[in-house]
Amino acid sequence: MAEIVSFASGKGGVGKTLLTAALGIFLSRKGKKVLLIDGDMGMRNMDLVLGLENECFYHVNDHLDFLPAAQNDTWETVFPAAMDTVLEDVEDKYDYILLDCPAGRGEGIRFAEHLSDHMFLVVAPSWASKRNAERLMTGPRKRYMTYVLNQFSLSGDTQISLSDMLETLDEESVSAIIPYTEEADRLAHQGELSDFSEKGALGEALALFWKSYKEEKQIPLPRWKKLLRRA
């Protein structure tokens, strides 16, 4: 049975889609069978990041499949029981199913909440991103939600610094700090994200991120800062 992991955010533009796709690629390289699902109905863009905009169901590479969102439908027109049935039919074929949720609250988020084994709330270096993500961390499944700080750097060019962000969050609620890298940004815009290097800052950050999640242990802050300096 696949472990279902969702990535959500309170607002768009936080790098959620790139992060979800990159993690799927990383896990597939480790020999895990992974299904990436773009859950942003009507506003899909993960197919562009992966360079697969001309297909509906696609093998990105060995061990990694991709199911894009509908282009003309929204979650308000999708019957949740039908999605349940689809996932029940395929979940025994995968180790992990990664769901890229639509931004904000809505039917897509509610569906992901009831479906997922864990939900990561992606926060970019802005107060608006943090505030909107906090609004998602509610309800009976709150204990299955943690933050991922994404697109951070130590350059001082961001709206909010890493130290300022961490001062406002419970340390145990943060699963990872993912650095902004020019490599990932460039490859995503070219539809070639699957070419990112595991030896680069993004690859190492994903390895730490998944280690922290699977082993349920906090990675010391100096390890994350070291990666941010590299990036």
Side-chain angles (χ1 to χ4, degrees):
M1 299 289 285
E3 185 173 346
I4 301 176
V5 178
S6 296
F7 289 79
S9 65
K11 65 186 297 293
V14 300
K16 171 175 54 64
T17 296
L18 190 157
L19 177 60
T20 309
L23 180 62
I25 294 165
F26 171 81
L27 292 173
S28 72
R29 290 176 180 176
K30 303 303 178 185
K32 303 299 183 183
K33 287 286 292 180
V34 182
L35 175 62
L36 285 173
I37 299 179
D38 187 343
D40 198 355
M41 299 294 183
M43 298 287 288
R44 74 186 196 199
N45 58 18
M46 188 183 285
D47 56 330
L48 299 176
V49 170
L50 297 169
L52 302 174
E53 60 270 24
N54 296 320
E55 300 293 339
C56 289
F57 184 92
Y58 209 95
H59 293 266
V60 180
N61 52 34
D62 290 345
H63 302 295
L64 181 62
D65 294 337
F66 168 56
L67 182 64
Q71 205 163 11
N72 300 316
D73 293 315
T74 67
W75 274 104
E76 282 65 32
T77 61
V78 173
F79 187 42
M83 286 293 296
D84 284 336
T85 300
V86 170
L87 293 178
E88 287 172 4
D89 287 344
V90 303
E91 63 181 350
D92 62 340
K93 297 177 172 58
Y94 297 98
D95 298 304
Y96 298 105
I97 296 175
L98 306 185
L99 176 61
D100 179 24
C101 299
R105 289 205 68 89
E107 291 299 323
I109 293 294
R110 285 189 280 272
F111 174 77
E113 284 177 348
H114 101 83
L115 180 78
S116 302
D117 296 295
H118 196 91
M119 177 176 282
F120 292 108
L121 305 179
V122 182
V123 180
S126 76
W127 290 122
S129 173
K130 172 185 176 290
R131 181 177 64 184
N132 290 333
E134 286 176 326
R135 290 173 176 169
L136 298 181
M137 192 175 275
T138 58
R141 292 186 58 80
K142 178 179 176 180
R143 64 184 181 278
Y144 299 107
M145 300 178 185
T146 52
Y147 296 110
V148 173
L149 307 186
N150 194 37
Q151 299 179 331
F152 276 77
S153 74
L154 297 180
S155 66
D157 295 334
T158 56
Q159 177 182 336
I160 174 175
S161 69
L162 175 62
S163 59
D164 286 344
M165 177 66 78
L166 291 174
E167 284 181 2
T168 67
L169 293 172
D170 176 9
E171 183 178 343
E172 293 186 356
S173 71
V174 179
S175 289
I177 303 169
I178 308 296
Y180 168 80
T181 68
E182 291 184 0
E183 177 201 33
D185 198 33
R186 172 177 54 81
L187 291 173
H189 279 90
Q190 294 172 347
E192 299 173 352
L193 185 61
S194 58
D195 292 339
F196 80 84
S197 171
E198 286 188 38
K199 295 181 180 180
L202 175 62
E204 289 197 23
L206 292 172
L208 281 180
F209 171 23
W210 205 243
K211 176 183 176 67
S212 172
Y213 169 60
K214 296 302 292 184
E215 297 182 5
E216 298 183 353
K217 60 189 294 186
Q218 293 291 120
I219 303 298
L221 181 58
R223 293 283 301 277
W224 295 116
K225 286 187 174 181
K226 182 179 179 181
L227 284 177
L228 267 61
R229 280 192 292 271
R230 281 194 59 194

